[in-house]
Amino acid sequence: MTAPLPAGDAGFGLLVPRDRFDQLLVDRAAEAGVHVFQPVSARVVELTPHGARVALRGSAAASHARCRLLVGADGLRSAIADASGLGCRRTNGAKFGFAIDVDGPARGGVAPGTIEMFVVRGGYLGVVARSDRRMHVAGLISRAAAVGNPLDFVESVARRFDVLRLSGLHRIRRASFKRLLGAGPIPCRPRGVAGVRVALVGDAAGYVEPFSGEGISCALESAEVLADTLARATPGDWTPAIARVYRNQWARRIGRRQHLDRLLARALERPGLTGPLASVTGRYPALAAWLVRMAVRQ
């Protein structure tokens, strides 16, 4: 099925390398007055109704920091969520996500300005051509996949589709990319997104399915929800009532998306359903466009 991406006044979206994007966030935080410590690892030493104490260890001598609110933005299987008793309810997720950037496509391969998704039994692969003649390749592997190694999975999917073979993904090699990012197991649903002196944002607050590529968007929006919640409170204050406001607003803006993600995940796990659906949407472009809008949350 093929459908145009929905476009608003500001365009549809941006593809930015994570190393550049992450540094941009750090720089903006520093400009806003945040004290940035890098490189540093952090460990929760104490968490009480009065605040948290965190041990910092890095290039400088080890030290401790105290705060009234601890924000968990440390991704899937959040250590902060575990330390606060909000850790994932189950640890038996059966899926793993991965992402790599490889050399750009040859003529006839993945076209710029297009998101290509390839759904197979046991997972799927998404490919986008970057502006610097490289491709961003991201995928999900489930327990039902014939292969569990990400590179083997990419090659097995690429051998089935001409556009991926033309892009050279059927013979991908370790030397063609600098690093492979992975996440899992997923899904991951914590016991809550807020607790005593703790609030979770981004993937730490739960992650369901990466098909729509909305992970960064949800992370930024959940941070915005937390900032809006704190703006209503006295600076430095975090009461059960404020935590409840954050939980409710998170459920309304992020939790609703995750509900749709769960429905999408169930559909993708059933090739007997997705195959006929793709055939129907091929005959009805308006239906295909509606499904695309739903998938990308427009």
Side-chain angles (χ1 to χ4, degrees), residues 6 11 17 19-20 32 44 82 131 143 197 220 230 234 261 274 289 293 296:
D19 54 352
R20 188 182 307 170
V44 180
D82 288 342
S131 59
R143 191 175 294 167
R197 296 292 173 178
L220 294 174
L230 293 174
T234 302
D261 282 338
T274 54
R293 284 197 301 271
V296 297

Side-chain angles (χ1 to χ4, degrees), residues 78-207:
S78 164
I80 291 176
D82 288 342
S84 61
L86 297 175
C88 287
R89 299 168 182 169
R90 298 190 300 272
T91 58
N92 60 346
K95 304 175 183 178
F96 293 83
F98 67 91
I100 53 178
D101 290 320
V102 300
D103 294 337
R107 186 180 299 276
V110 176
T114 303
I115 300 174
E116 298 271 10
M117 299 297 300
F118 304 88
V119 181
V120 299
R121 185 178 297 278
Y124 47 81
L125 202 65
V127 183
V128 181
R130 291 175 25 172
S131 59
D132 58 357
R133 296 297 301 164
R134 292 179 67 79
M135 290 182 295
H136 182 70
V137 181
L140 177 134
I141 306 174
S142 75
R143 191 175 294 167
V147 294
N149 179 285
L151 299 188
D152 292 341
F153 180 75
V154 172
E155 290 187 343
S156 68
V157 175
R159 284 193 290 268
R160 299 179 56 177
F161 299 95
D162 291 340
V163 66
L164 294 181
R165 285 197 299 272
L166 288 171
S167 296
L169 292 179
H170 63 299
R171 44 182 172 77
I172 188 172
R173 293 292 179 266
R174 179 67 182 85
S176 65
F177 60 91
K178 293 181 179 179
R179 62 175 180 168
L180 184 149
L181 301 178
I186 52 178
C188 175
R189 297 181 64 186
R191 293 178 173 85
V193 299
V196 177
R197 296 292 173 178
V198 171
L200 305 179
V201 299
D203 292 352
Y207 197 76

Side-chain angles (χ1 to χ4, degrees), residues 198-246:
V198 171
L200 305 179
V201 299
D203 292 352
Y207 197 76
V208 179
E209 189 77 14
F211 186 86
S212 63
E214 287 289 289
I216 290 293
S217 175
C218 286
L220 294 174
E221 187 168 0
S222 63
E224 187 178 67
V225 170
L226 180 58
D228 290 344
T229 301
L230 293 174
R232 307 176 188 178
T234 302
D237 202 8
W238 183 258
T239 64
I242 298 172
R244 186 165 55 252
V245 170
Y246 176 62

Side-chain angles (χ1 to χ4, degrees), residues 14 57 61-62 75 79 114 177 194 259 269 285:
L14 294 172
R57 185 179 297 276
T114 303
F177 60 91
H259 176 68
E269 290 169 354

